[in-house]
């Protein structure tokens, strides 16, 4: 059977599109030193319903624009450390007194960066101007079969962020 070049190109484009939906680590790079340079504004259970707890950090650009504007400004970067929940002997996820899961092993680090991507990062694979990256605990690209944009795209009124209210509240109350 002979496969037409158009069919090969279509398959490659479809494969590239699905890979990009889980992040573009070539464009959204890992921000080395984020734990020192960014501010942790939220610790909570992950919004995906899994037994995971997250710490979310914001750079100064995100914090300043969260205090001033809606949506956040270009150059905003958020980093989410994703921890699997600690488990008891029976494999049940353990929770702290505040209801958050007790952090176990660091599973991944997700990065969102907001800028004008132009044609380099197709709009179908991002949420507005937010691009996504997914990394292991050492900051190396990690395979991700999740569709980041698919989960974030319904949140248009909150600049595509699950933590929008927490970020705005933190920025408003931080007192600098």
């Amino acid at each position: 059977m002979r496969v037409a070049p158009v069919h090969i190109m279509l398959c490659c484009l479809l494969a590239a599109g699905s890979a990009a939906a889980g992040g573009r680590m070539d464009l959204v790079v890992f921000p080395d030193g984020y734990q020192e340079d960014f501010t942790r504004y939220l610790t909570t259970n992950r919004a995906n319903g899994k037994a995971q707890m997250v710490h979310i950090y914001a750079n100064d650009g995100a914090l300043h624009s969260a205090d001033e504007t809606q949506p956040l400004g270009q150059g905003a970067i958020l980093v989410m450390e994703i921890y699997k929940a600690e488990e008891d002997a029976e494999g049940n996820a353990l929770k702290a007194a505040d209801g958050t899961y007790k952090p176990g092993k660091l599973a991944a680090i997700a990065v969102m960066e907001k800028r004008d991507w132009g044609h380099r990062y197709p709009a179908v694979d991002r949420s507005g101007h937010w691009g996504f990256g997914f990394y292991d605990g050492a900051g190396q690209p990690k395979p991700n079969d999740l569709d980041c944009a698919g989960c974030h795209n319904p949140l248009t009124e909150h600049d595509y962020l699950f933590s929008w209210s927490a970020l705005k509240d933190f920025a408003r109350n931080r007192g600098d």
Side-chain angles (χ1 to χ4, degrees), residues 28-107:
V28 180
V29 298
F30 186 81
D32 289 321
Y34 73 89
Q35 288 179 320
E36 295 82 28
D37 298 334
F38 292 16
T39 302
R40 186 167 79 186
Y41 69 91
L42 182 63
T43 296
T44 189
N45 292 333
R46 192 163 177 206
N48 65 359
K50 294 183 180 180
Q52 297 174 331
M53 180 276 265
V54 299
H55 294 303
I56 307 178
Y57 298 78
N59 71 347
D60 285 342
L63 288 172
H64 290 299
S65 63
D67 195 25
E68 299 168 2
T69 65
Q70 182 178 341
L72 297 185
Q74 300 288 321
I77 301 174
L78 304 178
V79 177
M80 179 173 70
E81 296 174 342
I82 305 166
Y83 293 87
K84 293 181 180 178
E86 188 179 313
E87 296 179 345
D88 64 17
E90 290 81 40
N92 300 309
L94 298 174
K95 288 188 176 183
D98 66 358
T100 58
Y101 290 110
K102 290 186 175 183
K105 181 183 176 194
L106 178 61

Side-chain angles (χ1 to χ4, degrees), residues 116-132:
D116 184 8
W117 299 102
H119 296 290
R120 295 174 302 148
Y121 198 149
V124 69
D125 293 326
R126 40 184 172 88
S127 295
H129 290 286
W130 286 103
F132 303 93

